[in-house]
Amino acid sequence: MSIAFLIHSHKALDQIARLCTAIDNGLTDKFVAISHNGTREERDRIATFQGVNRVVPAVGGRSQFGLIDGLLSELRRLERERHPYEWFVVLSGQDYPIRPLHDMAEELSASEYDGYFHHFDTTQPRSIPAHLINWPDHEVDTRFHFRHTLLKRDTPRWLRAAVSLPRRALNTSNSYRIHTGFGLTFGHRASETPFSPSFRLFGGNAWMTIRRTAADAILRFIDDRPDITNYFRRVVTPDEVFLQTILANQPSLKLSNSELRYYDCTAAFLGQMKTFGADDLPGVLASGCYFARKFDIDRDPGIFDVIDEHVARTSSRTASNNAALPDPGEPLEAGLLR
């Protein structure tokens, strides 16, 4: 079974190299594409890394529709090349495997689901643990029921302070919004939205694991409904709603709310998740997930050695247990994906 990976990256080339090596050592049947927001020289260097099959320039920046365009472009390329992948995994350059990847391949091969990612219906009351992605209802309205124009990609502290008073004043209206969470944007309320009882707005994790059936459903939707695609191009954080909304409204798809990667949004500020250090490792490794993010090689380069040793020990125990089975040909029930 082949697994295709798309890795969005923008910095820390040594960390990207380490991630690609870990994937290459952990799986035999895989395809790794890197969408890198950096210079041509950086992309040329990444192309030499172990296990990398393709490197392309990133389209757009953080929390913009360009991230989705990059994903869609990779799905189209795989389709044109007739690449026989069965699962598609989206990672960041700050992800890292924390369990043996051959175990992930076995579980996905036996899975009944078409996709694994945290998602939720924004129209329904919800109680979501603090470490998972969520927003209050007023943010749902501001981000996704207004047509936003990006004025500036970055919002340093001084700029957020400078527009604080006009933002608060304007945001008391029903028609206009200034948003500074993911770049400086000016929004006006949409005259109509694509949302309805039969096409509900879903939010969730952009870093997803989906079967090819789900990838094909996304591409069909893009082809059939360019009007809805264009609507999402002018919302705030489309990467946290667009694909999630497409997939969750497909009755033919069976989706799991389980996460295959561990992250912590408990104290997130402007969308920045927690960066894990050595003190966090016991909880990270006990999560049962296959990947975790974020790690920072500049802050804690030795943490990857510790994780690699843990994965190697886990892999050795798995191999030993399998060798001890009385009948290796007996089909086994797949373990629960967390």
Side-chain angles (χ1 to χ4, degrees):
M1 184 191 73
S2 180
I3 301 176
F5 291 86
L6 174 63
I7 302 173
H8 294 292
S9 64
H10 69 281
K11 65 175 186 176
L13 269 61
D14 290 341
Q15 185 166 337
I16 299 169
R18 184 118 190 195
L19 169 60
C20 294
T21 298
I23 294 174
D24 193 52
N25 291 338
L27 293 170
T28 55
D29 195 354
K30 44 79 179 75
F31 186 95
V32 176
I34 313 285
S35 175
H36 185 68
N37 186 10
T39 65
R40 174 65 180 272
E41 290 74 18
E42 288 177 336
R43 295 196 300 272
D44 288 344
R45 181 183 165 195
I46 292 171
T48 68
F49 292 166
Q50 177 181 335
V52 173
N53 298 97
R54 175 168 34 235
V55 184
V56 297
V59 184
R62 175 175 172 264
S63 298
Q64 303 297 322
F65 203 89
L67 285 173
I68 301 170
D69 280 328
L71 184 150
L72 298 176
S73 295
E74 183 57 29
L75 292 181
R76 294 288 191 197
R77 281 188 287 265
L78 292 171
E79 186 180 60
R80 288 195 304 269
E81 296 166 355
R82 301 177 184 270
H83 188 85
Y85 75 94
E86 187 170 341
W87 286 88
F88 186 81
V89 180
V90 186
L91 300 174
S92 80
Q94 292 185 281
D95 279 86
Y96 202 72
I98 56 174
R99 281 184 64 187
L101 293 183
H102 57 76
D103 289 353
M104 182 182 77
E106 290 180 2
E107 293 208 21
L108 290 178
S109 180
S111 174
E112 62 180 321
Y113 292 103
D114 296 289
Y116 291 86
F117 57 95
H118 164 60
H119 59 284
F120 55 90
D121 187 340
T122 65
T123 67
Q124 299 297 319
R126 54 194 181 273
S127 178
I128 296 175
H131 69 282
L132 297 177
I133 294 169
N134 189 20
W135 334 282
D137 288 340
H138 71 84
E139 273 291 297
V140 174
D141 184 51
T142 292
R143 293 191 193 190
F144 310 119
H145 293 85
F146 284 72
R147 310 291 282 142
H148 288 265
T149 298
L150 180 65
L151 303 178
K152 195 174 188 308
R153 287 193 180 276
D154 300 317
T155 50
R157 183 176 300 177
W158 68 264
L159 179 59
R160 295 196 303 274
V163 301
S164 177
L165 289 179
R167 177 179 63 83
R168 291 171 186 243
L170 191 66
N171 289 3
T172 60
S173 78
N174 188 52
S175 301
Y176 301 101
R177 292 289 186 274
I178 292 175
H179 200 280
T180 58
F182 302 89
L184 176 61
T185 69
F186 176 78
H188 63 88
R189 185 172 291 279
S191 57
E192 61 178 350
T193 76
F195 313 124
S196 69
S198 61
F199 190 75
R200 303 189 306 280
L201 175 66
F202 281 80
N205 192 0
W207 312 95
M208 54 181 57
T209 299
I210 57 175
R211 197 187 289 273
R212 187 162 192 159
T213 51
D216 291 342
I218 290 171
L219 295 179
R220 285 196 304 271
F221 185 92
I222 300 297
D223 292 337
D224 294 342
R225 297 304 306 265
D227 56 324
I228 295 181
T229 303
N230 289 334
Y231 179 90
F232 277 95
R233 288 185 179 278
R234 291 186 59 189
V235 303
V236 176
T237 60
D239 56 319
E240 294 184 358
V241 290
F242 181 59
L243 300 179
Q244 298 83 345
T245 297
I246 292 174
L247 295 175
N249 280 286
Q250 290 284 337
S252 63
L253 298 179
K254 187 172 184 179
L255 303 178
S256 171
N257 230 322
S258 299
E259 290 279 28
L260 301 192
R261 72 282 318 280
Y262 183 79
Y263 59 91
D264 189 350
C265 289
T266 304
F269 179 68
L270 300 180
Q272 295 288 349
M273 299 176 182
K274 182 177 184 178
T275 300
F276 296 124
D279 292 343
D280 302 302
L281 271 188
V284 171
L285 299 177
S287 69
C289 295
Y290 288 103
F291 286 90
R293 64 186 288 260
K294 301 185 306 186
F295 297 104
D296 189 333
I297 198 169
D298 295 324
R299 181 184 300 184
D300 193 349
I303 200 168
F304 299 99
D305 292 330
V306 177
I307 295 172
D308 285 347
E309 291 173 6
H310 168 81
V311 171
R313 288 195 304 270
T314 304
S315 183
S316 297
R317 286 197 300 269
T318 300
S320 177
N321 291 339
N322 288 342
L325 289 174
D327 183 5
E330 186 71 18
L332 300 175
E333 182 179 355
L336 176 64
L337 285 167
R338 299 175 177 85

